[in-house]
């Protein structure tokens, strides 16, 4: 989702806190793309396939497209699998399916790949539209991060800078949180006191066997069919530990916390950790997600990774993998309907950009994989040729609870005189009570701390946002071109300005480029129902669904499916779906090649 520059370009996925160390790796060469912000609407239309938010590689893919938005060899055709949407989950699934030897076509509504993880450029400032915290992407060999496992499987790399901390700004003051077990514990003692430290150590003891159990069975080995027995057997008797821990891993994190933590400060801090990870508190966040995050972040030698060139470099690595193994990508290709025959998904209908031209039909011999949200997927299903059972499933799916949406503030600022030791990532908590309250928790990323090429000389690029807590109701029905809408954006962005002032007090004077994104931004450009952060499926009452659906030939991946919300979870979902659709023997061969 990269938006029209008159409003701005946004989307945000899960924020995953993990730490900071100023040791940059060698920066790769990055081709700059021309800015279209100052062109006329007519000129922008002519360059529609070369948006300023795309990478140079994405420009090349777009240039092969016809003016209808469908690359000439990719219009109506037949393939093995169609993947709807190019978010992280969809790209991971498509890349692995192509690696398994299938013919794959990815259909993306936008003119740039990546969904919530794309990047965009305005007046020389390169912005991340969404996620900016990553762990386990750098280095050689295997990682517990499912995204790194996918990249290893398709033999692609993303060059990263590593660091080890971020800064929390709370009502009591500001303090660093370091990506190191001992230093994290010291932060707990300093901020919460000796009782909080003792209870944190007790929680660590409770979590350790859960983390060991979760680590024994990597996402790359998961699949959602009986073949999982064979992929599990390769991990031997130790896998029994995972089985023993499964009931706790799939329960709310609060069930473990409640056993040993009574300290008010520590309980609030753990709720904050859960909220920035899943958009929900400890009572609703699945324990496995926290086990993975705490294990990855606090293990010896752990670092946080920022991809050089921004998150679009991750998207570009996945694109390379898809194309390297023969997959096809269709930009500006909006799927308007999933085609069913006899109650089975057999392809998709792709709307032509030119309304005078007929829609393209892509037949899928083996299946359709939707990376769209659970609510938006239901809109693509036809009213006819669907059984009563399938209709009931569809109606139930539309009732899936959802989190709130976002507000975004993307800034290009004058960096003259900025503190040379300024940290990249900041988390601002306005009030410990009601962490889920609208605009209470703000997240700030200043990636030019690491990569100066993301802004013109002497400038800096900033992204501040509130996630999963902006109500859609106050925006519903507004005309995005109206003064009322513009005024509401200014009003709702004010807490983000105030949060930034805790980091850069004169931020308003420095701002030269200002872009504000709202829930309507998400809804329109991401085609995301009510601009939601994702499904609010509480671990108390249920679990995210797997890749299969009641409609034969229709599969799903992304943050509406297992394991849930966030970049690692979305990548894992794409991997699980691809593994499930591949023969078990091909899957085992891939695990051999990954030395798992």
């Amino acid at each position: 989702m990269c938006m029209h520059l008159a409003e701005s370009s946004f989307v945000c996925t899960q924020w995953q806190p993990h730490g900071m160390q100023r040791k940059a790796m060698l920066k790769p060469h990055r081709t700059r793309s021309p800015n279209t912000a100052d062109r006329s609407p007519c000129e922008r239309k002519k360059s529609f396939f070369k948006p300023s938010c795309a990478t140079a590689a994405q420009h090349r893919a777009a240039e092969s497209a016809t003016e209808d938005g469908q690359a000439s060899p990719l219009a109506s055709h037949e393939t093995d699998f169609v993947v709807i949407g190019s978010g992280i989950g969809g790209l991971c699934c498509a890349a692995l399916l192509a690696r398994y030897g299938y013919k794959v076509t990815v259909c993306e509504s936008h003119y740039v790949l990546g969904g919530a993880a794309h990047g965009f450029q305005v007046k020389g400032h390169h912005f991340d539209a969404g996620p900016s915290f990553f762990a386990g992407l750098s280095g050689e060999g295997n990682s517990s991060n499912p995204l790194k496992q996918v990249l290893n499987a398709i033999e692609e790399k993303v060059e990263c800078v590593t660091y080890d901390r971020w800064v929390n700004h709370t009502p009591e003051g500001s303090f660093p949180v370091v990506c190191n077990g001992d230093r994290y514990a010291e932060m707990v003692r300093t901020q919460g006191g000796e009782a909080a430290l003792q209870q944190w150590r007790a929680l660590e003891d409770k979590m350790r066997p859960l983390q060991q159990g979760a680590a024994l069975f990597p996402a790359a080995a998961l699949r959602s069919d009986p073949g999982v027995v064979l992929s599990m057997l390769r991990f031997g008797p130790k896998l029994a530990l995972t089985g023993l821990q499964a009931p706790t891993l799939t329960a709310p994190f609060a069930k473990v916390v409640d056993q040993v933590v009574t300290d008010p400060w520590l309980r609030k801090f753990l709720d904050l950790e859960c909220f920035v990870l899943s958009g929900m508190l400890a009572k609703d966040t699945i324990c496995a997600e926290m086990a993975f995050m705490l294990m990855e972040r606090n293990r010896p030698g752990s670092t946080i990774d920022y991809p050089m060139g921004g998150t679009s470099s991750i998207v570009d690595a996945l694109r390379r993998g898809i194309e390297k193994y023969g997959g096809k990508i269709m930009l500006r290709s909006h799927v308007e309907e999933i085609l069913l025959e006899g109650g089975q998904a057999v392809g998709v209908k792709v709307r032509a950009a030119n309304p005078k031209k007929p829609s393209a039909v892509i037949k899928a011999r083996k299946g359709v994989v939707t990376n769209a949200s659970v609510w938006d997927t239901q809109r693509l299903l036809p009213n006819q040729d669907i059984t009563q059972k399938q209709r009931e499933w569809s109606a139930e799916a539309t009732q899936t609870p959802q989190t709130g949406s976002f507000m975004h503030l993307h800034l290009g600022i004058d960096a003259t005189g900025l503190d040379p030791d300024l940290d990249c990532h900041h988390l601002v908590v306005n009030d410990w009570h009601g962490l889920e309250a609208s605009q209470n928790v703000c997240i700030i990323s200043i990636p030019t701390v690491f990569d100066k090429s993301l802004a013109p000389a002497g400038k800096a690029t900033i992204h501040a946002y509130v996630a999963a807590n902006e109500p859609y109701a106050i925006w519903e029905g507004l005309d995005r071109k109206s003064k009322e809408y513009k005024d509401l954006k200014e009003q709702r962005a004010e807490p983000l300005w105030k949060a930034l002032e805790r980091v850069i007090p004169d931020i308003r004077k420095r701002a030269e480029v200002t872009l504000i994104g709202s829930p309507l931004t998400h809804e329109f450009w991401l085609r995301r129902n009510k601009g939601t952060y994702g499904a609010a499926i509480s671990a108390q009452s249920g679990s995210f669904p797997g890749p299969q659906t009641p409609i034969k030939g229709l599969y799903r991946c992304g943050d509406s499916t297992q394991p849930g919300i966030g970049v690692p979870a979305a990548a894992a979902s794409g991997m699980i779906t691809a593994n499930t659709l591949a023969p078990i023997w091909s899957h085992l061969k891939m695990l051999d090649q990954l030395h798992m």
Side-chain angles (χ1 to χ4, degrees):
M1 172 241 59
C2 182
M3 61 192 343
H4 190 293
L5 298 181
E7 178 175 351
S8 89
S9 288
F10 316 158
V11 170
C12 183
T13 63
Q14 151 176 347
W15 185 80
Q16 210 187 358
H18 295 297
M20 180 179 252
Q21 169 188 333
R22 304 270 179 87
K23 183 180 283 187
M25 298 170 64
L26 181 64
K27 297 180 182 178
H29 174 74
R30 300 191 311 113
T31 303
R32 291 292 191 191
S33 53
N35 177 32
T36 62
D38 299 322
R39 299 183 185 178
S40 69
C42 180
E43 289 173 321
R44 285 199 297 269
K45 183 175 180 181
K46 289 178 181 177
S47 64
F48 193 62
F49 282 95
K50 292 182 281 187
S52 61
C53 53
T55 65
Q58 290 168 334
H59 290 165
R60 291 193 293 272
E63 284 166 355
S64 69
T66 69
E67 68 177 27
D68 292 329
Q70 293 143 11
S72 50
L74 302 179
S76 292
H77 66 280
E78 189 170 309
T79 187
D80 290 329
F81 290 101
V82 174
V83 177
I84 303 172
S86 70
I88 290 293
L91 291 176
C92 287
C93 182
L96 288 174
L97 286 173
R99 185 196 184 283
Y100 279 131
Y102 293 110
K103 291 184 177 180
V104 181
T105 298
V106 178
C107 294
E108 169 55 47
S109 292
H110 218 333
Y111 49 76
V112 63
L113 294 175
H118 81 277
F120 65 98
Q121 177 188 345
V122 178
K123 295 184 178 180
H125 290 273
H126 292 252
F127 295 103
D128 291 331
S132 57
F133 279 78
F134 302 90
L137 283 183
S138 61
E140 301 296 328
N142 290 319
S143 165
S144 58
N145 188 330
L147 178 55
K148 182 62 159 62
Q149 293 171 21
V150 173
L151 292 171
N152 286 347
I154 62 175
E155 298 180 293
E156 291 291 342
K157 294 182 179 180
V158 175
E159 195 164 8
C160 297
V161 59
T162 62
Y163 57 109
D164 72 349
R165 75 174 192 171
W166 71 97
V167 181
N168 276 8
H169 304 269
T170 70
E172 296 79 23
S174 301
F175 57 91
V177 181
V178 180
C179 187
N180 172 280
D182 290 337
R183 295 186 67 181
Y184 187 91
E186 177 59 21
M187 177 276 298
V188 171
R189 187 194 67 77
T190 301
Q191 299 300 318
E194 290 297 335
L197 174 61
Q198 292 175 11
Q199 291 176 19
W200 166 250
R201 290 301 192 191
L203 181 62
E204 281 189 308
D205 291 341
K206 286 282 186 182
M207 292 295 292
R208 194 165 291 111
L210 300 175
Q211 293 166 339
Q212 292 170 348
L216 285 173
F217 199 44
L222 292 172
R223 52 189 298 130
S224 184
D225 69 353
V228 72
V229 175
L230 292 177
S231 64
M232 289 172 64
L233 287 175
R234 68 190 293 115
F235 296 94
K238 290 184 179 180
L239 191 61
L241 178 60
T242 303
L244 291 173
Q245 303 297 345
T248 305
L249 285 169
T250 56
F253 180 52
K255 284 197 171 183
V256 181
V257 173
D258 290 346
Q259 295 177 34
V260 292
V261 178
T262 59
D263 180 80
W265 181 88
L266 183 56
R267 289 183 68 89
K268 288 184 292 188
F269 193 77
L270 292 171
D271 268 335
L272 176 65
E273 292 271 42
C274 289
F275 181 72
V276 297
L277 182 66
S278 70
M280 298 180 285
L281 302 182
K283 64 184 177 61
D284 297 311
T285 300
I286 187 171
C287 187
E289 201 166 5
M290 289 300 293
F292 164 80
M293 186 271 287
L294 292 172
M295 173 182 65
E296 182 62 35
R297 196 177 67 193
N298 291 340
R299 63 178 171 78
S302 180
T303 61
I304 311 170
D305 303 304
Y306 183 78
M308 299 302 290
T311 54
S312 58
S313 62
I314 295 174
V315 173
D316 215 34
L318 294 170
R319 175 200 59 78
R320 291 194 303 268
I322 292 170
E323 295 180 342
K324 176 169 61 181
Y325 291 103
K328 299 177 181 179
I329 295 171
M330 296 175 64
L331 300 175
R332 263 187 98 198
S333 299
H334 175 64
V335 172
E336 56 185 3
E337 185 178 335
I338 297 171
L339 300 176
L340 302 184
E341 291 180 5
Q344 177 174 343
V346 296
V348 299
K349 183 187 292 185
V350 179
R351 184 173 66 207
N354 185 340
K356 296 180 180 180
K357 299 282 181 83
S359 299
V361 172
I362 305 175
K363 287 286 189 176
R365 290 182 289 265
K366 294 186 177 294
V368 175
V369 180
T370 175
N371 183 214
S373 76
V374 59
W375 311 278
D376 298 290
T377 293
Q378 308 313 311
R379 298 180 190 175
L380 302 179
L381 295 174
N383 292 322
Q384 69 279 1
D385 205 15
I386 186 169
T387 68
Q388 182 60 32
K389 181 179 179 181
Q390 292 167 345
R391 197 179 305 278
E392 291 172 357
W393 162 74
S394 179
E396 183 179 350
T398 61
Q399 301 304 310
T400 301
Q402 58 185 228
T403 65
S405 187
F406 301 79
M407 286 299 299
H408 291 266
L409 188 59
H410 283 86
L411 301 177
I413 70 167
D414 180 2
T416 303
L418 277 183
D419 183 353
D421 294 323
L422 183 67
D423 289 300
C424 175
H425 288 107
H426 302 260
L427 177 62
V428 178
V429 181
N430 294 310
D431 191 337
W432 282 114
H433 301 286
L435 286 174
E436 295 174 293
S438 178
Q439 302 187 322
N440 186 25
V441 177
C442 304
I443 299 157
I444 298 168
S445 174
I446 313 172
T448 39
V449 165
F450 300 130
D451 189 348
K452 300 298 184 186
S453 71
L454 296 176
K459 311 298 180 182
T461 292
I462 295 177
H463 178 201
Y465 59 97
V466 294
N469 59 14
E470 178 66 11
Y472 178 80
I474 64 175
W475 300 88
E476 191 167 12
L478 288 180
D479 181 349
R480 292 191 302 115
K481 297 179 181 179
S482 68
K483 182 179 184 301
E484 182 183 6
Y485 175 63
K486 181 180 179 181
D487 290 346
L488 185 59
K489 285 203 303 179
E490 296 288 347
Q491 173 192 329
R492 300 298 291 180
E494 185 61 21
L496 293 172
W497 285 106
K498 290 181 178 178
L500 279 164
E501 285 173 333
R502 297 194 64 174
V503 181
I504 305 174
D506 60 348
I507 184 69
R508 298 182 199 243
K509 293 181 180 179
R510 292 176 176 272
E512 299 175 344
V513 175
T514 299
L515 304 169
I516 301 173
S518 75
L520 299 189
T521 308
H522 278 253
E523 181 179 46
F524 183 81
W525 292 100
L526 264 195
R527 302 188 186 277
R528 187 84 165 175
N529 183 259
K530 297 185 177 181
T532 181
Y533 181 51
I537 300 176
S538 172
Q540 295 184 74
S541 56
S543 61
F544 284 79
Q548 293 94 342
T549 75
I551 298 177
K552 185 178 180 182
L554 177 62
Y555 305 90
R556 54 198 167 190
C557 66
D559 64 5
S560 292
T561 65
Q562 292 178 356
I565 294 175
V567 172
S573 78
M575 180 172 270
I576 293 168
T577 300
N579 292 344
T580 301
L581 295 173
I584 181 60
W585 312 117
S586 298
H587 185 191
L588 295 177
K589 183 178 179 181
M590 182 190 75
L591 293 176
D592 286 339
Q593 293 169 343
L594 291 175
H595 306 291
M596 289 185 173

